[in-house]
């Protein structure tokens, strides 16, 4: 019987000790907040610390130290509500107030808060609010400078970051991105840690969580922009998402399974949103642009072009979505000629780098192998039915907008770039691109992008203008959209392929 009584007494003694500490600490907070209970005191302090003046006033009253003592003494699920309120007080106190941040540092606040997160939050049934508020606190604190950032980083990296990242919760994922971004921003060593073999699994779990809960909040976007678009880590992150081995040949990465996973197009969709939202401000690294081109070529190998797509992106099939988002990213990259990093060794802008790597030739070949736009295709099929020569050698658009996206990239690249205009002419691409100036049921706004592309091909380029003037008429199919441009479509009687000719 004695064996049973001793542990019970020990537990009671521990509880008594905790309550004694709590009572002593509570007296200080009751005095500061003019409250009659600890719960009320914490609620008042939460409100006071929301204001800049309140944070400054409380910084002289030892509140950070006192509340940290509460967290340290009561780091148990039994005191969950008191702990949550205490974390909120500390979170608000550390929001931009250097005195409170310094006190938090001196009292080893990170160690105490991380202990609360792991012991109370990261249970088999995670307490998302405890983890969320704890991370918000650490994010506010890490803004205090390099010492604060390193303090947070080395308490959490890599194992605790990884454990938190594996909790599939929207409420946790965004503040986790806040902490990681704030720590790495301006600290190259920590950024290198994050993208190392130890750090990449953290990013992979963040992306898996973001994909699972459809998270596209600001901190995730800031983190991915820094790592992928402005940095050089897109390939490492993108292909690490795939759990199967891969081989690389001439810049094209092919997975043994010849497949992609859903997190990969999700990552590309976020990057596409970032570029679209910040097109005038963001700086694009050469590595990012070339990596996206490589991903495009990898997806091209996998996609089945025999099936015509019935919807726009996302279609819900990873290889097609990877193909499509790669194109939209390249479209936006090529929309501006100034979005290149001053740190790049090469004097070329990002479009120069892409074009010199074969982008234009690749896109023209893609376009050349596609079945013609529906306006032209219907006219061709009527003619072929009459002659009994229907051809099925063309590729189909795997999603609605595929042709339009190709044309948009070529058009953006050709804008005020003489060498691109000339390359398109030399590769017999002018007639091919003129053919895109029509309405296409499967490619909304193809006509507008086609006209934009042709305009850019002809602007200031007498040779390209002459190439159109010299077109010879053989047999034609009238297309109203082209007649307004002074052009008509002709069908080669031998190859059954279409060309555009001068209508005069």
């Amino acid at each position: 019987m004695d064996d049973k009584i001793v542990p019970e007494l020990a537990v009671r003694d521990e509880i008594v000790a905790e309550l004694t500490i709590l009572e002593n600490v509570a007296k200080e907070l009751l005095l500061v907040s003019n409250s009659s209970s600890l719960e009320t005191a914490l609620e008042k302090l939460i409100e006071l610390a929301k204001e800049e003046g309140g944070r400054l006033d409380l910084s002289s009253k030892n509140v950070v130290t006192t509340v940290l003592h509460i967290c340290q003494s009561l780091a148990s699920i039994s005191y969950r509500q008191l702990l949550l309120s205490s974390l909120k007080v500390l979170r608000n106190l550390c929001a931009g107030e250097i005195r409170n941040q310094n006190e938090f540092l001196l009292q080893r606040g990170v160690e105490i808060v991380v202990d609360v997160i792991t012991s109370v939050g990261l249970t088999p049934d995670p307490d998302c609010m405890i983890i969320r508020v704890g991370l918000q606190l650490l994010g506010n604190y890490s803004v205090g400078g390099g010492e604060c950032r390193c303090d947070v980083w080395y308490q959490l990296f890599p194992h605790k970051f990884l454990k938190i990242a594996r909790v599939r919760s929207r409420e946790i994922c965004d503040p986790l991105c806040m902490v990681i971004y704030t720590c790495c921003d301006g600290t190259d060593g920590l950024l290198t840690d994050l993208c190392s073999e130890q750090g990449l699994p953290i990013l992979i779990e963040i992306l898996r969580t973001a994909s699972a809960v459809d998270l596209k909040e600001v901190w995730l976007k800031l983190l991915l922009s820094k790592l992928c678009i402005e940095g050089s880590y897109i390939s490492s992150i993108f292909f690490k998402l795939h759990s199967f081995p891969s081989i690389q040949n001439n810049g094209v990465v092919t997975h043994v399974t010849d497949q992609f996973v859903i997190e990969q197009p999700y990552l590309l969709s976020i990057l596409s949103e970032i570029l679209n939202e910040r097109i005038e401000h963001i700086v694009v690294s050469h590595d990012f642009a070339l990596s996206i081109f490589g991903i495009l070529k990898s997806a091209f190998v996998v996609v089945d072009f025999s099936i015509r797509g019935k919807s726009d992106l996302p279609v819900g099939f990873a290889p097609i979505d990877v193909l499509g988002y790669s194109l939209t990213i390249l479209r936006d990259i090529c929309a501006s000629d100034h979005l290149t990093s001053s740190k790049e060794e090469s004097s070329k802008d990002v479009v120069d780098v892409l074009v010199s790597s074969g982008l234009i030739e690749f896109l023209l070949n893609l376009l050349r192998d596609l079945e013609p736009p529906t306006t032209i295709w219907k006219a061709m099929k009527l003619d072929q039915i009459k002659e009994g020569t229907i051809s099925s050698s063309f590729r189909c658009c795997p999603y609605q907008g595929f042709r339009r996206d190709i044309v948009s990239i070529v058009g953006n690249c050709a804008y005020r770039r003489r060498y691109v205009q000339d390359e398109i002419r030399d590769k017999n691409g002018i007639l091919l691109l003129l053919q895109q100036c029509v309405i296409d049921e499967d490619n909304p706004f193809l006509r507008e992008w086609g006209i934009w592309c042709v305009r850019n091909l002809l602007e200031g380029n007498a040779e390209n203008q002459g190439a159109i003037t010299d077109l010879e008429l053989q047999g034609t199919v009238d297309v109203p959209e082209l007649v307004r441009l002074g052009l008509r479509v002709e069908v080669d009687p031998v190859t059954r392929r279409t060309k555009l000719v001068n209508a005069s």
Side-chain angles (χ1 to χ4, degrees), residues 111-172:
E111 184 178 339
I112 295 169
V113 170
V114 169
D115 182 58
V116 171
I117 290 174
T118 53
S119 63
V120 180
L122 291 171
T123 57
D125 182 19
D127 189 324
C128 293
M129 279 305 296
I130 287 285
I131 301 172
R132 175 180 174 82
V133 177
L135 290 172
Q136 290 172 337
L137 161 58
L138 296 179
N140 287 345
Y141 165 68
S142 62
V143 176
E147 190 174 5
C148 297
R149 290 193 288 268
C150 290
D151 186 23
V152 172
W153 189 261
Y154 293 119
Q155 287 284 341
L156 290 167
F157 182 86
H159 303 297
K160 291 184 175 68
F161 272 144
L162 184 58
K163 194 171 182 179
I164 295 170
R166 284 176 174 158
V167 180
R168 302 291 183 244
S169 165
R170 172 189 293 270
E171 288 74 21
I172 292 173

Side-chain angles (χ1 to χ4, degrees), residues 79 238 259 284:
Y79 305 102
F238 183 85
Q259 198 53 269
V284 177

Side-chain angles (χ1 to χ4, degrees), residues 162 165-166 194 196-206 240:
L162 184 58
R166 284 176 174 158
L194 182 61
S196 67
E197 285 301 312
Q198 282 189 306
L200 278 175
I202 299 168
L203 293 171
I204 300 311
E205 292 300 332
I206 286 173
K240 191 77 172 178

